[in-house]
Amino acid sequence: MSEENSTVPVEWGPMRSFGRIKSRKLKPLQATLFDTLLPEIEATGARVDAALASGRELWLEIGFGGGEHLAAQAAKNPDVTFIGCEPFLNGVGSALRHIEDGGLKNVLILPGDARPLLDNLPEAVLNRIFILFADPWPKARHNKRRFIQPETIAAFARALKPGGTVRFATDWADYADWALERFLASPDFDWPALSQSDWNTPPADHITTRYETKGLGDCEPVFFDFVRK
């Protein structure tokens, strides 16, 4: 990545894995942070290049919702650079508030689709990817909009370092089955789980968010950690 606009979305085909971009008017503080903080931490090509050149670990969260998990992980891991991607502007506003409140200096924000960013990253540069409680698109006719698809799994494999991980969490049973089937079909990932507790118990470093506690799905949360071969 070498240009300031290298994260501008490119054509990925007809799949749109997210719904609304905005649902309500931004709170005054959030609106202010869009003008003051976001320009300083937006994941432009130049800033991503600098993160890559720093030699620090690089973790990516796709669809960070309100940014609680993203900000808490960044606070717990100050030597890691985080990139968070979220197309929902109200979620971006919430994340900016968490980043401002925490005085965090190791987070970059992309207010948009993560897939063009994945395409523009060099090979084998990410250490971890998080996809937590993504929109399940539960109606069968909408399953094609789910973020977990063979092409996105291939993009994860290209961008991850060997031994890097993807953590996928959901509270929808059908989406859990869908994701597991597609990751197991990939030649690029292992799933090292040995017992039911490996996916039914939140990982030790997991940070519970308000969305997760609402229990809006049809099953208890499931956590899959897939490892890049």
Side-chain angles (χ1 to χ4, degrees):
M1 302 181 67
S2 59
E3 308 225 347
E4 280 288 328
N5 64 353
S6 59
T7 54
V8 172
V10 295
E11 185 58 51
W12 251 73
M15 185 183 85
R16 179 170 175 176
S17 59
F18 48 88
R20 299 168 300 168
I21 299 297
K22 184 179 178 183
S23 67
R24 63 186 183 277
K25 185 177 180 180
L26 292 170
K27 296 177 181 178
L29 175 58
Q30 293 179 355
T32 298
L33 292 174
F34 264 89
D35 294 331
T36 58
L37 180 58
L38 182 59
E40 297 179 359
I41 64 171
E42 189 167 0
T44 62
R47 290 195 180 105
V48 175
D49 281 345
L52 294 170
S54 71
R56 295 157 57 101
E57 286 199 11
L58 187 62
W59 297 9
L60 171 67
E61 183 166 354
I62 297 171
F64 56 68
E68 296 162 288
H69 177 270
L70 177 68
Q73 289 284 7
K76 289 177 62 177
N77 298 278
D79 294 330
V80 175
T81 297
F82 288 78
I83 302 177
C85 303
E86 174 59 60
F88 188 52
L89 297 185
N90 298 88
V92 173
S94 175
L96 292 173
R97 180 177 58 81
H98 287 304
I99 293 166
E100 174 83 356
D101 289 347
L104 303 175
K105 304 299 183 183
N106 58 330
V107 183
L108 299 176
I109 295 291
L110 177 62
D113 191 344
R115 293 170 297 164
L117 172 69
L118 281 168
D119 272 355
N120 284 318
L121 286 173
E123 293 185 12
V125 293
L126 296 178
N127 298 88
R128 301 187 73 177
I129 298 173
F130 298 92
I131 307 150
L132 307 179
F133 303 97
D135 194 325
W137 296 102
K139 294 181 180 179
R141 69 177 183 273
H142 293 153
N143 285 174
K144 63 186 178 182
R145 293 188 176 188
R146 289 175 168 172
F147 193 84
I148 301 300
Q149 303 286 346
E151 58 267 30
T152 47
I153 292 173
F156 300 157
R158 191 192 68 81
L160 277 168
K161 295 180 178 181
T165 60
V166 177
R167 175 170 296 164
F168 174 81
T170 185
D171 54 4
W172 285 86
D174 179 64
Y175 202 4
D177 291 341
W178 169 284
L180 185 59
E181 178 182 354
R182 282 152 183 78
F183 270 99
L184 292 179
S186 168
D188 298 312
F189 286 95
D190 283 324
W191 184 43
L194 298 175
S195 66
Q196 187 172 348
S197 64
D198 289 329
W199 64 86
N200 279 351
T201 304
D205 64 345
H206 175 63
I207 294 156
T208 302
T209 65
R210 284 183 298 170
Y211 174 85
E212 184 181 341
T213 61
K214 291 179 180 179
L216 299 178
D218 61 3
C219 69
E220 290 298 312
V222 173
F223 300 88
F224 296 140
D225 279 338
F226 301 103
V227 180
R228 176 69 167 95
K229 294 180 181 178

